[in-house]
Amino acid sequence: MKLTNPANPVPRAALACVLGLSAWWFLLKRASLYALFLISYLPMDILIGPPDLKAVSINTQTERWVFNVALNIDAKDPETGKVQHASSMEVDATPDEIAFFVSGWFVYLALSFAIGGFGKKKLLSTAKGLAAQLGVSILALTVYAYVNAFGSVYADLGNRAGSVWFLKWLYHVDYLVVPFFAPFLIALIVHQEWRDYFLPTRSQTPVGNKR
């Protein structure tokens, strides 16, 4: 399937990303973060929440996100040196630290807009891609809370150096790679137009490179 519009979609996508992210940061960040809180509340409670605590909540005074993660591991008390059982761990984060997990929504929508994804024929595909992006955000946020909780415990255990190294690696992938890479991968999977541009068949010439 070839693109019906021969124009290169990359400049449109770049401009749409800049405008979309600007609108998000200055106008929609607070609302989008609250939307992330609402859609992640139940999944996080099921996946990592202790039985007697909320997995995720927002401190209304400081606006910091508070995560309670079920652990059930033995940890050394840094003050007494005694090993104690940790059933759960509480960690928190600022709204700006959580914002990365929302930014991908607007990047994906910009990529979809660039190839006409808001038209009637493509709106369903755009909705499917957005649903996938929301799922990625929820999963990435859950991993973020999980890694930070375990990292807080393992940092005090000298015999868990391997675990600390793995948690640091997982943290960087989850926090610095997934939020930025996921929208592009989802757009490539969901939208035929982006696949035609970046993965042309032998009989096709990439859009924007035709002579």
Side-chain angles (χ1 to χ4, degrees):
M1 175 181 177
K2 296 184 178 181
L3 285 172
T4 56
N5 186 352
N8 187 339
V10 173
R12 295 197 304 274
L15 178 60
C17 283
V18 171
L19 294 177
L21 288 174
S22 298
W24 161 65
W25 185 261
F26 293 108
L27 300 175
L28 302 172
K29 185 174 71 169
R30 187 184 183 92
S32 61
L33 283 171
Y34 187 66
L36 177 62
F37 170 75
L38 292 178
I39 65 174
S40 62
Y41 182 88
L42 183 59
M44 292 188 68
D45 197 52
I46 295 173
L47 293 172
I48 63 171
D52 55 341
L53 295 170
K54 297 178 181 179
V56 58
S57 60
I58 298 178
N59 187 314
T60 56
Q61 295 182 343
T62 64
E63 295 188 350
R64 294 181 71 91
W65 287 49
V66 181
F67 304 98
N68 286 288
V69 182
L71 298 180
N72 295 317
I73 60 174
D74 293 327
K76 184 191 298 181
D77 188 324
E79 296 182 358
T80 65
K82 295 181 180 180
V83 176
Q84 298 181 353
H85 181 74
S87 59
S88 64
M89 173 64 70
E90 180 180 297
V91 294
D92 62 0
T94 66
D96 285 347
E97 291 171 331
I98 303 298
F100 279 172
F101 300 110
V102 181
S103 61
W105 303 359
F106 297 86
V107 173
Y108 168 73
L109 290 175
L111 294 172
S112 179
F113 175 81
I115 47 90
F118 289 84
K120 292 183 179 180
K121 295 182 179 180
K122 300 175 184 176
L123 192 58
L124 180 59
S125 295
T126 297
K128 291 179 180 179
L130 181 59
Q133 181 62 53
L134 294 178
V136 169
S137 297
I138 294 172
L139 182 59
L141 180 63
T142 302
V143 173
Y144 172 83
Y146 188 83
V147 167
N148 276 279
F150 270 84
S152 297
V153 174
Y154 284 165
D156 297 324
L157 301 179
N159 60 341
R160 296 293 182 90
S163 298
V164 172
W165 178 88
F166 175 74
L167 288 174
K168 287 182 178 180
W169 173 83
L170 184 59
Y171 172 86
H172 283 89
V173 172
D174 178 69
Y175 193 62
L176 300 177
V177 177
V178 172
F180 305 101
F181 179 71
F184 295 94
L185 180 61
I186 291 172
L188 191 65
I189 294 173
V190 172
H191 296 289
Q192 182 68 45
E193 291 82 359
W194 281 117
R195 292 199 299 276
D196 286 345
Y197 181 80
F198 285 106
L199 304 171
T201 62
R202 292 183 179 180
S203 60
Q204 290 177 314
T205 301
V207 177
N209 294 327
K210 294 183 177 181
R211 295 181 179 180

